[in-house]
Amino acid sequence: MHSASLIVDPAFRIGAVDPRLYGSFVEHLGRCVYTGIYEPGHPTADADGFRQDVVELVRGIDVPIVRYPGGNFVSAYNWEDGIGPAADRPTRIDLAWRSIEANQVGVDEFQRWAGQVGAETMMAVNLGTRGIDEARAFVEYCNHPSGTAWSDRRRANGATDPYGIKVWCLGNEMDGPWQIGHKTAFDYGRLAAEAGKAMRLVDPGIELVISGSSGSKMPTFGTWERIALTEAYDTVDHISMHSYYQQHGDDRDSFLASAVDTDQFIEAVVATADHVRAVGRHSKRLTIAYDEWNVWYQSRFAGEENLPISEAPALIEDVYSVTDAVVVGNLLISLLRHADRVKIGCQAQLVNVIAPIMTAKGGPAWRQTIYHPYALTSRYGRGTVLRLETQSPSHETAAHGEVPLLDAVAVLQDDDQGLALFAVNRDQHEQMAVDVDVRSLPHLTTGEHLALADDDPEAVNDRDNPDRVTPRRLADPKLDGGRLQVVLPPLSWNLIRLTS
């Protein structure tokens, strides 16, 4: 058995958790919308066609914000196609995912769905095939009270009150050659600056997200951020980051350490943004919208260019193992560890497409393994993140070099009456005894330990066995003189809750 230790002290605070860190993403891709969140005729569907079994599972995560409608989809999307009487809406070919888009779900329907699950919308505008005029009109439609052409059109469509959408994405992954309307960093930065300026003239209270690199392995990474931000720094509030991870071959050790790459990626983007701030002598400090992240086995995907054109095809429906869930839980630890700069996070995506929730058309919905660390971190990871002093054994990985076997973060509740410690044991075979020093929080007296682990690292949840992998309660930790010891199972994600 390995031995490790960590010290928790409320004096060492990283920053407050923005609840939007636990956001998600719904794109018109595959079955995320159609037969995912929306399926008229389903036994649980409401009058708008939204599946209430899915609504209940989304509520279980307590998702505060959902990015919509893309993703690659947005870069050739006409938002006007999705408003007005459903029978009059055009059917289009979606060039991003080679799908037929019937436009039966648009902004008005999505806003009603978001209200059901208690989430705000993080709306994306098309800066691929469209630009300034369409973007400012979209804000006017959504956020202006009344008395203008677009706001009165919204009212005529049944929404008397403005939606008040606060966060807007200025396009998506515009550095990617696969993107419809792909641009150079300079051209995109100028367009983002001017579109954002016009949007903010319509509604001065909105927050704007500029597209950063679509991944840290892009050849333009770093340079893209620097050039685009140089043009648009004063216009925007956040810069986006996207990353996906998968296991390559039998190298599970490297996969389990994926959060090491996330840490380095975040720190590189922060350094670049702060460089532009210093050179430009800007006063404000940008924060990060990590608005696409997850485990995604991209090597299993044939690529959109090889897809036949079809309606609501089953695309990128990865089935997740307990190993994948441990990695997802560790990525959440990484986001929390940077809570001073990462203010928005969107796990991609919410339903069916690389998702924590799966559905069968006409049938049930169930939780994938990755649902559980996401839901529990969202529920208990609210408050102030503390910087830990950790001592851990380490091992060598092919992709990341030497990494610690223990990775952890602590979140102190706002009233200081509770503490949530999130921890992973990256060792595939050995337990880890962790000595936790909480003497600086003497009022904490009782504890609970939940672990997500399984004897089979490839165990999954599916339609026939939806609860094969769920968190289980281990022996409750006993505090003795402000210290406790917990034993983390091998290859596990853990939540240790301490209360008064």
Side-chain angles (χ1 to χ4, degrees):
M1 181 184 295
H2 295 296
S3 296
S5 65
L6 56 87
I7 300 172
V8 182
D9 193 314
F12 300 106
R13 304 188 175 212
I14 292 173
V17 178
D18 189 321
R20 298 178 299 180
L21 190 72
Y22 303 114
S24 190
F25 182 25
V26 167
E27 181 174 2
H28 286 245
L29 192 177
R31 297 194 311 117
C32 187
V33 174
Y34 302 108
T35 72
I37 68 171
Y38 175 82
E39 188 180 343
H42 188 272
T44 71
D46 66 5
D48 281 326
F50 289 115
R51 292 182 54 150
Q52 296 304 293
D53 56 347
V54 173
V55 166
E56 287 305 310
L57 291 177
V58 175
R59 288 175 178 162
I61 305 173
D62 194 11
V63 176
I65 194 167
V66 180
R67 185 170 173 242
Y68 177 83
N72 295 352
F73 174 82
V74 79
S75 290
Y77 177 56
N78 300 331
W79 65 267
E80 303 94 327
D81 289 347
I83 64 173
D88 298 337
R89 297 179 188 177
T91 297
R92 306 283 192 194
I93 297 176
D94 163 37
L95 299 177
W97 301 108
R98 295 180 58 78
S99 300
I100 299 297
E101 174 54 56
N103 284 302
Q104 295 304 289
V105 174
V107 58
D108 299 307
E109 290 82 11
F110 188 79
Q111 285 302 113
R112 292 197 290 273
W113 177 84
Q116 288 186 19
V117 302
E120 299 178 25
T121 299
M122 180 178 180
M123 191 68 76
V125 300
N126 177 357
L127 293 188
T129 62
R130 309 188 82 188
I132 299 169
D133 195 47
E134 295 84 2
R136 64 91 187 161
F138 200 4
V139 177
E140 181 182 320
Y141 181 87
C142 292
N143 288 7
H144 195 71
S146 63
T148 66
W150 283 115
S151 61
D152 287 345
R153 182 87 167 268
R154 182 199 69 244
R155 292 167 63 89
N157 289 337
T160 302
D161 296 327
Y163 294 133
I165 296 172
K166 190 170 184 65
V167 185
W168 293 78
C169 301
L170 298 167
N172 172 74
E173 292 187 355
M174 300 309 298
D175 65 324
W178 58 85
Q179 205 69 214
I180 305 298
H182 165 61
K183 293 173 174 59
T184 67
F186 176 80
D187 289 341
Y188 168 68
R190 290 304 313 139
L191 177 58
E194 293 304 313
K197 180 173 69 176
M199 293 164 70
R200 191 165 269 138
L201 286 170
V202 177
D203 183 351
I206 61 176
E207 297 176 31
L208 297 172
V209 182
I210 192 169
S211 290
S213 294
S214 49
S216 61
K217 303 302 185 289
M218 291 294 291
T220 56
F221 171 57
T223 301
W224 173 274
E225 281 81 359
R226 176 180 58 79
I227 294 173
L229 283 178
T230 297
E231 299 305 316
Y233 193 98
D234 284 332
T235 304
V236 302
D237 304 284
H238 315 278
I239 182 166
S240 75
M241 294 178 59
H242 295 175
S243 65
Y244 295 102
Y245 300 96
Q246 70 172 80
Q247 182 174 323
H248 295 281
D250 60 359
D251 187 8
R252 187 173 290 136
D253 282 337
S254 291
F255 179 47
L256 287 166
S258 295
V260 172
D261 180 78
T262 300
D263 289 338
Q264 294 170 349
F265 188 14
I266 292 171
E267 288 155 16
V269 172
V270 166
T272 305
D274 286 349
H275 165 76
V276 176
R277 175 178 181 262
V279 171
R281 293 171 172 80
H282 304 284
S283 58
K284 70 179 178 182
R285 193 181 298 274
L286 294 189
T287 53
I288 289 170
Y290 214 132
D291 51 28
E292 285 189 37
W293 68 270
N294 206 347
V295 170
W296 174 11
Y297 287 86
Q298 292 176 304
S299 59
R300 301 174 185 170
F301 178 48
E304 54 269 29
E305 68 278 2
N306 298 311
L307 301 174
I309 294 176
S310 58
E311 187 169 356
L315 297 179
I316 320 178
E317 298 192 1
D318 284 356
V319 176
Y320 290 116
S321 69
V322 66
T323 301
D324 300 321
V326 172
V327 171
V328 164
N330 202 171
L331 297 176
L332 284 162
I333 288 172
S334 179
L335 297 185
L336 284 169
R337 187 161 39 238
H338 297 90
D340 55 333
R341 297 301 289 268
V342 180
K343 296 301 181 182
I344 299 173
C346 300
Q347 189 189 53
Q349 295 188 10
L350 187 56
V351 184
N352 288 330
V353 179
I354 51 172
I357 299 169
M358 293 294 293
T359 70
K361 184 179 180 180
W366 63 94
R367 303 170 184 85
Q368 291 229 65
T369 61
I370 66 172
Y371 180 99
H372 297 294
Y374 182 11
L376 288 169
T377 307
S378 176
R379 185 179 309 158
Y380 297 113
R382 310 283 179 114
T384 300
V385 182
L386 304 182
R387 186 173 65 253
L388 303 180
E389 183 64 33
T390 303
Q391 300 292 327
S392 167
S394 61
H395 71 174
E396 191 72 19
T397 65
H400 309 292
E402 188 173 349
V403 301
L405 292 172
L406 171 67
D407 196 17
V409 74
V411 179
L412 185 66
Q413 291 179 1
D414 289 334
D415 58 6
D416 289 1
Q417 296 306 300
L419 181 81
L421 179 66
F422 303 98
V424 294
N425 178 5
R426 292 170 172 158
D427 192 288
Q428 298 184 53
H429 308 292
E430 295 292 327
Q431 294 179 316
M432 181 178 294
V434 183
D435 180 74
V436 183
D437 183 340
V438 288
R439 286 175 294 177
S440 58
L441 296 163
H443 57 283
L444 300 179
T445 57
T446 60
E448 176 187 45
H449 181 186
L450 297 176
L452 191 73
D454 197 278
D455 291 339
D456 179 4
E458 297 301 322
V460 302
N461 296 340
D462 56 26
R463 178 176 179 167
D464 296 329
N465 197 352
D467 297 317
R468 168 69 174 84
V469 179
T470 57
R472 68 180 189 268
R473 187 165 180 170
L474 302 185
D476 290 340
K478 305 298 183 183
L479 282 89
D480 182 10
R483 305 180 81 100
L484 66 147
Q485 188 168 90
V486 293
V487 177
L488 311 183
L491 208 166
S492 64
W493 174 88
N494 301 263
L495 166 62
I496 297 95
R497 294 179 58 224
L498 302 176
T499 57
S500 301

